[in-house]
């Protein structure tokens, strides 16, 4: 099974797709004549709903703690925005609050899956974030890299001589 297929089978990804489909349906009930809602809420809701599954796929492909956490932060922001935007439709006079409540319920369920998903990230598989935002616990942006003071000359690696002739028979 490919990485893409594994990602698409994950419960958190499936829930993200459900949220996207519900958002697509919800924006259909927003009055077309309300230019303000069409230009703001509809656009932002669809953008956030599309961001969530895309960033889950990105986090799964990256597999590094710092990159996964960066994607997770973007996912959380998009989900929270979507939750608020859906709720704000009530105050703009959009009927069918059951649909709004359904989307918000799905986001609440997504949040629980999200918590478990983030907890599964391998904190030992990381590249230090020099900005200090997405380092695993115990790693500080100001910490000196352990290998920083070890001189590295790639020409010294395994006695590499760039001027030497390479003969395939020498490999054995």
């Amino acid at each position: 099974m490919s990485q893409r297929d594994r990602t698409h089978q994950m419960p958190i990804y499936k829930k993200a797709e459900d949220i996207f489909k519900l958002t697509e349906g919800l924006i259909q009930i927003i009055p077309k004549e309300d230019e303000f809602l069409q230009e703001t809420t509809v656009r932002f809701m669809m953008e956030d709903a599309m961001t969530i599954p895309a960033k889950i796929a990105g986090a799964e492909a990256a597999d590094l703690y710092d990159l996964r956490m960066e994607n997770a932060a973007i996912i959380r922001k998009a989900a929270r925005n979507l939750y608020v935007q859906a709720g704000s439709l009530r105050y703009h006079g959009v009927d069918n609050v059951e649909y709004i409540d359904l989307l918000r319920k799905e986001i609440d369920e997504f949040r629980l899956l999200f918590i478990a998903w983030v907890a599964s990230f391998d904190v030992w598989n990381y590249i230090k974030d020099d900005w200090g935002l997405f380092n695993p616990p115990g790693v500080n942006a100001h910490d000196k890299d352990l290998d920083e003071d070890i001189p590295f000359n790639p020409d010294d690696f395994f006695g590499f001589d760039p001027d030497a002739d390479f003969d395939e028979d020498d490999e054995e």
Side-chain angles (χ1 to χ4, degrees):
M1 182 182 295
S2 71
Q3 173 66 39
R4 179 179 180 267
D5 291 339
R6 279 192 300 276
T7 299
H8 286 214
Q9 294 304 313
M10 296 172 60
I12 191 169
Y13 190 88
K14 288 179 178 182
K15 184 62 75 173
E17 285 187 323
D18 292 344
I19 289 169
F20 175 75
K21 290 172 188 169
L22 280 169
T23 302
E24 278 186 312
L26 179 58
I27 64 167
Q28 297 304 314
I29 66 171
I30 296 173
K32 302 286 186 226
E33 63 277 358
D34 190 332
E35 287 183 40
F36 174 76
L37 286 180
Q38 289 295 324
E39 291 296 320
T40 58
T41 306
V42 169
R43 185 174 132 227
F44 295 137
M45 287 180 75
M46 284 307 298
E47 181 179 315
D48 287 329
M50 287 187 283
T51 296
I52 296 169
K55 290 299 178 180
I56 291 170
E60 287 300 309
D63 194 40
L64 290 171
Y65 180 83
D66 48 315
L67 295 177
R68 295 185 86 180
M69 286 301 291
E70 184 175 345
N71 281 297
I74 295 167
I75 292 164
R76 184 186 79 159
K77 181 182 184 302
R80 290 172 70 182
N81 285 347
L82 194 53
Y83 191 90
V84 170
Q85 291 160 350
S88 73
L89 292 175
R90 290 184 180 128
Y91 301 105
H92 289 284
V94 173
D95 295 331
N96 201 343
V97 294
E98 295 82 16
Y99 216 143
I100 294 167
D101 291 339
L102 181 59
L103 177 58
R104 294 180 94 187
K105 178 183 167 286
E106 289 293 313
I107 295 170
D108 283 335
E109 291 174 9
F110 176 83
R111 183 182 58 81
L112 299 176
L113 293 169
F114 178 84
I115 291 167
W117 178 63
V118 170
S120 75
F121 294 175
D122 180 2
V123 297
W124 295 106
N125 186 22
Y126 72 94
I127 296 173
K128 189 178 84 173
D129 177 9
D130 291 334
W131 290 76
L133 194 55
F134 300 111
N135 286 320
V139 176
N140 188 315
H142 298 295
D143 290 345
K144 180 179 166 185
D145 286 332
L146 296 177
D147 296 334
E148 191 173 285
D149 58 350
I150 299 173
F152 178 74
N153 181 351
D155 294 337
D156 293 338
F157 196 71
F158 290 122
F160 178 73
D161 181 2
D163 297 325
D165 290 332
F166 179 73
D167 186 5
E168 289 182 23
D169 294 333
D170 291 342
E171 279 188 81
E172 299 172 15

